[in-house]
Amino acid sequence: MAEQWQDVLDHAVAVAQKAGKVGLLENPDYFIPLVLFIGEESVAAGEPCDLTDEPTWIIDPIDGTTNFFPLAFLLIMGVVYSCLEDKMFVARRGKGAFCNGKQLRVSDQKDIHCSIVATEFGSNRDGGAVEKIFSSLRKVVCLPVHGVRGAGSAAINLCLVASGCVEAYYEIGVHVWDVAAGALMVTEAGGVLMDVEGGALDMMSRRILAANNRHIAEQIVGQIQAFTPQRDDAPPQQQ
Ligand SMILES: O=P([O-])([O-])O[C@@H]1[C@@H](O)[C@H](O)[C@@H](O)[C@H](O)[C@@H]1O
Ligand SMILES: [Mg+2]
Ligand SMILES: [Mg+2]
């Protein structure tokens, strides 16, 4: 069984590498045998966005809408390819997270004042939401933290946490296909995931906080003015 999953992961890495070269997925049939499928484009086309216990590929062909190719085999394996940097991030549950074969480990920083926090403004332009995003960022900056970053991609921001390049990343408004692969990268590198209000992470809630440790995460939680976007798995009639 273990070897079967390794073959699947090797295949996903090969497809991600190829997609990074051509800029799009040439043959989506690669993902069809075997499993269910949730993708940004398929959901936009009206396909369901339901997470079940069945093996499911969660795919964002281009995240950050520039040069990235993340995909995930939810909770079992994750692949994020940063093609500009030629960095292949791979995680497998219980077996660690790696970048170009080198094992990843989150930062061991415990002091929030020495920490770098990544976040994004997202795509929601509703006045109330924008207000809360700015207000949260202002409070995080004034903790004070050492610095703030944003790679423009949820997937890459999560890989930065996993790599120890930043201590934390939070965002409200992301989708499950933006974060599924990177979230596994963080936990396999020793980090923590939670909701922006401190509860358990709900992958379909469109809210995420990832950090190198719980202490750093909880201090950021205290600064975030949360809001509740429509869930990814909301019934179609509500969308
Ligand atoms: O849409 P896309 O480029 O695949 O994914 C993007 C996310 O990775 C990013 O973190 C978020 O701020 C953007 O609004 C967008 O959702
Ligand atoms: Mg995306
Ligand atoms: Mg996308």
Side-chain angles (χ1 to χ4, degrees):
M1 183 58 95
E3 274 322 296
Q4 179 203 338
W5 292 129
Q6 188 58 50
D7 288 350
V8 172
L9 181 58
D10 291 346
H11 191 66
V13 168
V15 172
Q17 214 145 27
K18 196 170 170 187
K21 286 203 180 80
V22 299
L24 73 156
L25 198 56
E26 273 181 346
N27 185 0
D29 290 346
Y30 280 129
F31 296 103
I32 289 172
L34 182 60
V35 291
L36 301 175
F37 181 91
I38 294 174
E40 181 174 14
E41 280 67 23
S42 62
V43 173
E47 292 295 317
C49 187
D50 293 326
L51 263 185
T52 67
D53 289 338
E54 295 299 312
T56 304
W57 285 109
I58 301 178
I59 298 182
D60 188 350
I62 304 175
D63 183 52
T65 320
T66 43
N67 301 292
F68 308 111
F69 182 81
L71 58 88
F73 196 37
L74 184 66
L75 303 181
I76 295 178
M77 60 183 71
V79 176
V80 176
Y81 182 44
S82 176
C83 61
L84 265 191
E85 307 171 286
D86 193 23
K87 287 185 177 173
M88 180 66 76
F89 295 89
V90 177
R92 196 165 156 201
R93 188 174 60 188
K95 295 193 183 297
F98 300 82
C99 177
N100 292 349
K102 187 166 174 252
Q103 183 147 21
L104 300 179
R105 186 71 206 163
V106 294
S107 155
D108 60 8
Q109 183 58 253
K110 292 181 182 67
D111 184 348
I112 190 71
H113 306 308
C114 300
S115 296
I116 297 178
V117 179
T119 191
E120 301 290 337
F121 291 106
S123 53
N124 190 341
R125 298 296 177 261
D126 167 77
V130 170
E131 197 56 49
K132 285 182 173 164
I133 289 167
F134 273 95
S135 163
S136 303
L137 182 54
R138 182 187 168 81
K139 289 177 74 185
V140 169
V141 168
C142 293
L143 269 165
V145 294
H146 184 71
V148 172
R149 302 282 186 275
S153 154
I156 297 298
N157 286 325
L158 288 162
C159 289
L160 291 176
V161 176
S163 307
C165 298
V166 304
E167 274 68 34
Y169 158 67
Y170 72 90
E171 187 170 351
I172 302 178
V174 286
H175 295 276
V176 63
W177 47 81
D178 296 316
V179 297
L184 186 64
M185 223 66 71
V186 170
T187 53
E188 286 301 318
V192 298
L193 300 170
M194 61 178 72
D195 177 64
V196 294
E197 290 188 281
L201 176 70
D202 174 348
M203 277 282 186
M204 304 305 257
S205 72
R206 303 184 56 197
R207 307 173 0 153
I208 189 165
L209 170 59
N212 59 331
N213 61 54
R214 188 157 290 275
H215 175 68
I216 294 292
E218 282 168 355
Q219 291 185 73
I220 293 169
V221 162
Q223 311 308 316
I224 295 177
Q225 271 195 269
F227 57 96
T228 311
Q230 181 164 265
R231 295 177 59 82
D232 274 332
D233 55 2
Q237 63 269 21
Q238 291 178 17
Q239 293 182 351

